[in-house]
Amino acid sequence: LINVSSSHSCFCLLAEPDVTIVSGLRDTVVSEGDDVTFRCQVSHENARDVEWKLQDVALQNNEMNEISVEKGKIHTLTLRKVTEQDIGTVTFRVGPHTSTA
């Protein structure tokens, strides 16, 4: 026989705080061949579910797109040697929150 009353279980669910955008993207004018950097500050460090897009296409960190985080809260995207094909809307998303430039 198993005595259920003598065993105790505790399930704890720790919800992560809702990360919001504190300082959004700014429109930028850049010349062809130059680099351009976009910054977006979020409310909490180590935010998950973060995405950068250019013209609705998700960007990955590579030699042309440098994606990084400064001081834990400032997410940056640097587009290297931009061309006419890079003209369009840049979007930063964290959870359900977005900022565009």
Side-chain angles (χ1 to χ4, degrees):
L1 292 175
I2 298 174
N3 186 350
V4 176
S5 64
S6 68
S7 64
H8 299 280
S9 296
C10 177
F11 294 98
C12 298
L13 179 61
L14 300 176
E16 292 186 12
D18 187 26
V19 178
T20 60
I21 295 173
V22 174
S23 177
L25 299 176
R26 295 184 181 162
D27 291 341
T28 304
V29 176
V30 63
S31 298
E32 188 170 7
D34 287 348
D35 296 350
V36 61
T37 299
F38 296 91
R39 288 181 178 80
C40 199
Q41 183 176 352
V42 298
S43 59
H44 296 79
E45 291 185 4
N46 304 316
R48 297 179 184 175
D49 193 22
V50 172
E51 181 178 49
W52 286 97
K53 288 183 177 182
L54 175 60
Q55 302 170 16
D56 285 328
V57 176
L59 299 175
Q60 302 298 320
N61 195 25
N62 58 39
E63 67 278 354
M64 297 307 292
N65 310 313
E66 182 182 328
I67 297 171
S68 62
V69 180
E70 300 171 358
K71 300 178 184 175
K73 295 182 182 181
I74 302 170
H75 292 256
T76 65
L77 165 67
T78 300
L79 302 176
R80 303 274 182 217
K81 299 178 182 169
V82 296
T83 66
E84 285 186 20
Q85 288 77 28
D86 296 319
I87 294 172
T89 301
V90 171
T91 304
F92 173 81
R93 181 188 60 76
V94 58
H97 308 285
T98 60
S99 180
T100 58

